[in-house]
Amino acid sequence: MPFYMGAFLAITLDWRSQAQSVATGRQALQRLKQEVGALKEEKQAWGLREEAHQASLKMTQEAKEGGEAYAYEVEQAYADLLAHFTYHQIQNIGLQEVVRAFEVQ
């Protein structure tokens, strides 16, 4: 075999090896792109979950604050009712004393 045929064969084998390496590299690059896409989707899903969680926390906090405000209003109304009831009891006791005083005479 002439020298130039051997050199041509060596170059052809080298090109073939390089082409196989490029094909393997492209496949690896494609897999990496798919993984990156999957990770981006997962990141987006986590972001949506976090937004939903924050919204839920905010609603819970608002409900808690509303409940605390309502409980305070109820306590105030109860205290007012007790004060009014006590006032009437005192007034009733006073009237009973007046009635007894008139009965004694």
Side-chain angles (χ1 to χ4, degrees):
M1 175 183 331
F3 170 73
Y4 63 89
M5 290 296 279
F8 180 73
L9 182 60
I11 290 172
T12 304
L13 289 174
D14 186 46
W15 283 350
R16 182 176 176 209
S17 174
Q18 287 178 1
Q20 287 175 343
S21 294
V22 167
T24 303
R26 283 184 182 157
Q27 289 173 349
L29 181 60
Q30 187 64 30
R31 282 193 306 270
L32 287 174
K33 285 181 180 180
Q34 289 173 345
E35 288 180 27
V36 166
L39 289 173
K40 284 182 180 179
E41 290 175 6
E42 187 176 342
K43 179 182 175 186
Q44 185 179 15
W46 277 103
L48 293 174
R49 284 188 203 118
E50 178 63 22
E51 287 178 22
H53 178 69
Q54 291 298 326
S56 175
L57 285 176
K58 183 178 178 184
M59 289 173 50
T60 302
Q61 183 64 30
E62 290 172 354
K64 179 183 175 188
E65 290 170 358
E68 289 172 350
Y70 180 73
Y72 178 76
E73 290 175 13
V74 169
E75 287 175 1
Q76 290 299 315
Y78 183 68
D80 291 343
L81 182 63
L82 284 178
H84 191 71
F85 180 70
T86 303
Y87 167 78
H88 283 293
Q89 280 185 325
I90 291 171
Q91 189 177 24
N92 189 18
I93 291 170
L95 290 173
Q96 287 175 355
E97 291 296 321
V98 167
V99 168
R100 282 188 205 138
F102 278 115
E103 288 177 351
V104 171
Q105 292 177 355

